[in-house]
Amino acid sequence: MLRISIEEAASNLKALLQQVAQGEEIVLVEDEKAVARLVPLQTREQWFADTKRFRDSLQAKGEPLSATVIKARQGERD
């Protein structure tokens, strides 16, 4: 991962974008603090796969929301 200053990025933007298009990630820094990342675009399929992996990794606790709503509605009727 390449780290460069914003000033350097501004003067070499076209070359940096070519590197990003080839798959490299570039971090832009200002006063030695990271402020932005240039990353290659994901295809639609990659985005869906990443989203699915993230959702599958979540561990929900408690009862399903639908059960909570049904109980609340039944409580309103009593």
Side-chain angles (χ1 to χ4, degrees), residues 30-62:
E30 185 172 44
D31 298 326
E32 298 183 21
K33 180 181 175 188
V35 294
R37 281 187 313 147
L38 297 176
V39 296
L41 287 175
Q42 289 183 317
T43 65
R44 185 177 183 99
E45 292 77 20
Q46 289 170 327
W47 185 85
F48 280 124
D50 287 348
T51 302
K52 181 174 179 359
R53 270 194 299 280
F54 170 72
R55 288 181 178 169
D56 290 346
S57 74
L58 297 177
Q59 299 279 329
K61 297 180 182 177

Side-chain angles (χ1 to χ4, degrees), residues 1-6 25-38:
M1 178 182 342
L2 180 63
R3 293 175 61 96
I4 63 168
S5 70
I6 294 174
E25 183 175 314
I26 299 172
V27 176
L28 303 180
V29 296
E30 185 172 44
D31 298 326
E32 298 183 21
K33 180 181 175 188
V35 294
R37 281 187 313 147
L38 297 176

Side-chain angles (χ1 to χ4, degrees), residues 13-25:
L13 184 58
K14 187 169 184 154
L16 292 174
L17 291 177
Q18 289 173 347
Q19 287 179 276
V20 169
Q22 294 174 1
E24 188 167 347
E25 183 175 314

